[in-house]
Amino acid sequence: QVQLVESGGGLVQAGGSLRLSCAASGNIISIDVMGWYRQAPGKQRELVAVIRSDSSTNYADSVKGRFTISRDNAKNTVYLQMNSLKAEDTDVYVCNARRVIGPAVRDYWGQGTQVTVSS
């Protein structure tokens, strides 16, 4: 099992910055990919950014150039630095840890942290 605890959400004005943190505990050695998703009420969960065990990253087109995902292996923590925030970035941001088991995956999710950007 893997437990994920997010922090760092809040209210910020458009153009501002926030940094989200996701601390992982438990069977973290099994994690292959960690990432951030966001979800608004009534909408599908959307991938924001992922970082793999080889430190390669991918971003949603809507956040490229503004958001940066990084990891601190010593602290078992993944960060999402969000700059130049826009009102449309308002969402609940959820941390994900994924274990790849052959052709299958096992996903673990945090409880989510609210990010609100005022225009």
Side-chain angles (χ1 to χ4, degrees), residues 81-96:
Q81 178 66 44
M82 306 185 293
N83 299 328
S84 302
L85 282 161
K86 306 175 181 179
E88 51 263 42
D89 293 319
T90 295
D91 257 320
V92 175
Y93 285 70
V94 185
C95 181
N96 167 264

Side-chain angles (χ1 to χ4, degrees), residues 10-36:
L11 174 65
V12 64
Q13 287 189 332
S17 299
L18 280 175
R19 189 176 81 156
L20 305 182
S21 301
C22 175
S25 61
N27 189 17
I28 57 176
I29 197 168
S30 66
I31 297 172
D32 297 291
V33 185
M34 290 195 71
W36 289 94

Side-chain angles (χ1 to χ4, degrees), residues 35-49:
W36 289 94
Y37 290 71
R38 60 188 182 187
Q39 185 169 21
K43 292 187 177 180
Q44 273 197 325
R45 191 168 282 177
E46 174 192 22
L47 173 69
V48 177

Side-chain angles (χ1 to χ4, degrees):
Q1 284 286 0
V2 174
Q3 294 79 41
L4 304 171
V5 179
E6 302 106 329
S7 60
L11 174 65
V12 64
Q13 287 189 332
S17 299
L18 280 175
R19 189 176 81 156
L20 305 182
S21 301
C22 175
S25 61
N27 189 17
I28 57 176
I29 197 168
S30 66
I31 297 172
D32 297 291
V33 185
M34 290 195 71
W36 289 94
Y37 290 71
R38 60 188 182 187
Q39 185 169 21
K43 292 187 177 180
Q44 273 197 325
R45 191 168 282 177
E46 174 192 22
L47 173 69
V48 177
V50 294
I51 185 165
R52 300 175 187 83
S53 54
D54 63 0
S55 296
S56 62
T57 58
N58 282 100
Y59 296 90
D61 288 341
S62 58
V63 307
K64 281 181 182 175
R66 300 188 298 122
F67 291 11
T68 303
I69 190 170
S70 62
R71 64 197 296 166
D72 184 333
N73 291 330
K75 296 182 179 180
N76 299 322
T77 299
V78 170
Y79 303 98
L80 184 68
Q81 178 66 44
M82 306 185 293
N83 299 328
S84 302
L85 282 161
K86 306 175 181 179
E88 51 263 42
D89 293 319
T90 295
D91 257 320
V92 175
Y93 285 70
V94 185
C95 181
N96 167 264
R98 173 166 288 184
R99 180 182 176 195
V100 178
I101 311 168
V105 298
R106 173 82 182 267
D107 282 317
Y108 301 91
W109 298 95
Q111 80 284 358
T113 185
Q114 177 70 46
V115 171
T116 303
V117 184
S118 62
S119 56

